């Protein structure tokens, strides 16, 4: 299974948190990453987004066909992402457009075996794949790309 973790692009400060919108720079970051991803996306890709406006705007730069998953909001946790995506057993690849610190904690858990405060920068994409080694499921880091390199 492929699991792509895309942190929302740069958003304006403000309140309420769920209504914060992308800045002009954030919209550009989202468009550039979406173009990079469109050229490389895995087949049968499910796109899941937090209900926050900034994540929906980021996902919309890539596709209009994404699922809003309330548990992926800013207060969601690692278990919520694992449950929503079906990692590592789902048949389809999943792209999660979400938030820090949860995305970083998930990347740390899958790659090191423990949750830790890993930073995923605004607009960046981390692409992981699962594989079997003997009877053990492992996560393999395929790509880390900051929005500045798209």
């Amino acid at each position: 299974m492929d699991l792509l973790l895309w942190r929302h692009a740069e958003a304006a400060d403000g309140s309420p948190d769920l209504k914060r919108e992308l800045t002009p720079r954030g919209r550009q970051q989202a468009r550039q990453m979406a173009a990079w991803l469109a050229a490389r996306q895995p087949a049968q890709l499910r796109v899941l987004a937090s209900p926050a406006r900034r994540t929906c705007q980021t996902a919309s730069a890539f596709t209009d066909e994404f699922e809003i998953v309330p548990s992926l909001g800013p207060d969601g946790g690692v278990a919520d992402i694992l449950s929503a995506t079906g990692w590592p057993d789902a048949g389809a690849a999943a792209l999660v457009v979400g938030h820090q610190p949860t995305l970083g904690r998930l990347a740390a858990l899958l790659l090191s075996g423990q949750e830790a405060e890993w930073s995923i920068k605004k607009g960046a994409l981390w692409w992981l794949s699962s594989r079997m080694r003997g009877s053990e499921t492992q996560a393999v880091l395929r790509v880390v790309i900051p929005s500045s390199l798209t």
Side-chain angles (χ1 to χ4, degrees), residues 31-63:
R31 283 192 301 269
Q32 288 175 324
M33 188 62 72
W36 183 92
L37 185 56
R40 296 160 180 85
Q41 71 182 9
Q44 299 177 343
L45 180 64
R46 289 179 56 215
V47 181
L48 311 171
S50 152
R53 184 170 291 158
R54 61 194 178 274
T55 55
C56 292
Q57 288 175 318
T58 300
S60 290
F62 177 63
T63 182

Side-chain angles (χ1 to χ4, degrees), residues 16-17 55-56 58 62 70 73 75-76 79 100 116-117 149:
D17 184 52
T55 55
C56 292
T58 300
F62 177 63
D75 295 328
Q100 273 296 98
E117 298 301 317
L149 290 182

Side-chain angles (χ1 to χ4, degrees), residues 59-71:
S60 290
F62 177 63
T63 182
D64 291 328
E65 296 181 22
F66 61 91
E67 302 169 48
I68 296 174
V69 182
S71 63

Side-chain angles (χ1 to χ4, degrees), residues 10 12 16 26 43 45 49 59 69 78 83 88-89 100 105 110 121 133 136 142 148-149:
E10 182 183 272
L45 180 64
V69 182
V78 168
S83 176
D89 301 316
Q100 273 296 98
R105 288 177 182 157
L110 296 180
K121 299 296 185 184
R133 289 284 191 205
E136 179 184 3
R142 298 286 183 202
S148 61
L149 290 182

